[in-house]
Amino acid sequence: MTDKPANDAPHRLIDGVEFGEGVIVQAFTNLYGCTIGDGTRVGTFVEIQRGATVGARCKIQSHTFICTGVELGDEVFVGHGVVFINDKRPRATNDEGTLQTDDDWTLMPTTVERRASIGSGAIVLGGLRIGEGAVIGAGAVVTRDVAPGATVAGSPARMLAGTG
């Protein structure tokens, strides 16, 4: 692993990231405390948070948010504007009225297996597994696990006939 991407794009925050060989990160990105595998491409206006893992040869399109607890396998495609969520009941404050801390919520990890594709504008709720080679349609809201090889679309996302 290297400590910097292979290109010199300006205006990006990179802090404590483990980069594989040949990773390209475009401008206006926030990457901190994550791991990004060999040959992956990260587009503009992407945020990848602490504890997230991105596999090798992935393509992360612009305006995507990958939060803590998300693990992307190798060769995963993530379209423009995809949002991952890791908290089932988000709140700003706890019962005492003070801002929540890490002790006030439960992380819901999400796994996206090898060669899965997530269409632009999709929202992936926490605690899910998207199976190998699955396809998530653009704009889908994924509320439950997706079987390997399945294609889902809609809100909530449902399996399309003849897939999976």
Side-chain angles (χ1 to χ4, degrees):
M1 291 275 170
T2 65
D3 63 352
K4 63 181 181 168
N7 62 322
D8 285 329
H11 311 295
R12 55 188 184 190
L13 168 68
I14 296 175
D15 182 35
V17 178
E18 292 183 33
F19 289 103
E21 295 297 322
V23 173
I24 300 294
V25 177
Q26 299 303 326
F28 303 106
T29 57
N30 292 324
L31 311 175
Y32 45 95
C34 57
T35 301
I36 301 176
D38 294 345
T40 288
R41 306 289 189 249
V42 179
T44 56
F45 301 108
V46 169
E47 180 165 339
I48 304 176
Q49 291 187 322
R50 189 169 316 287
T53 302
V54 176
R57 298 172 309 285
C58 293
K59 189 170 186 182
I60 313 298
Q61 298 290 74
S62 70
H63 298 86
T64 289
F65 177 70
I66 300 174
C67 56
T68 300
V70 172
E71 180 181 343
L72 303 182
D74 294 341
E75 302 173 30
V76 168
F77 175 83
V78 180
H80 300 278
V82 171
V83 175
F84 288 88
I85 298 170
N86 62 5
D87 187 353
K88 193 171 191 170
R89 294 183 178 85
R91 299 280 186 264
T93 59
N94 58 26
D95 291 339
E96 291 77 42
T98 59
L99 286 176
Q100 280 194 346
T101 67
D102 288 345
D103 295 333
D104 294 315
W105 68 286
T106 302
L107 174 67
M108 299 183 70
T110 296
T111 301
V112 180
E113 295 179 352
R114 181 178 177 275
R115 302 212 69 191
S117 291
I118 303 174
S120 294
I123 298 172
V124 181
L125 299 184
L128 303 179
R129 177 173 295 276
I130 296 173
E132 182 171 345
V135 176
I136 310 299
V141 178
V142 184
T143 61
R144 45 190 163 163
D145 291 348
V146 178
T151 298
V152 300
S155 177
R158 289 182 168 54
M159 188 164 59
L160 299 179
T163 68

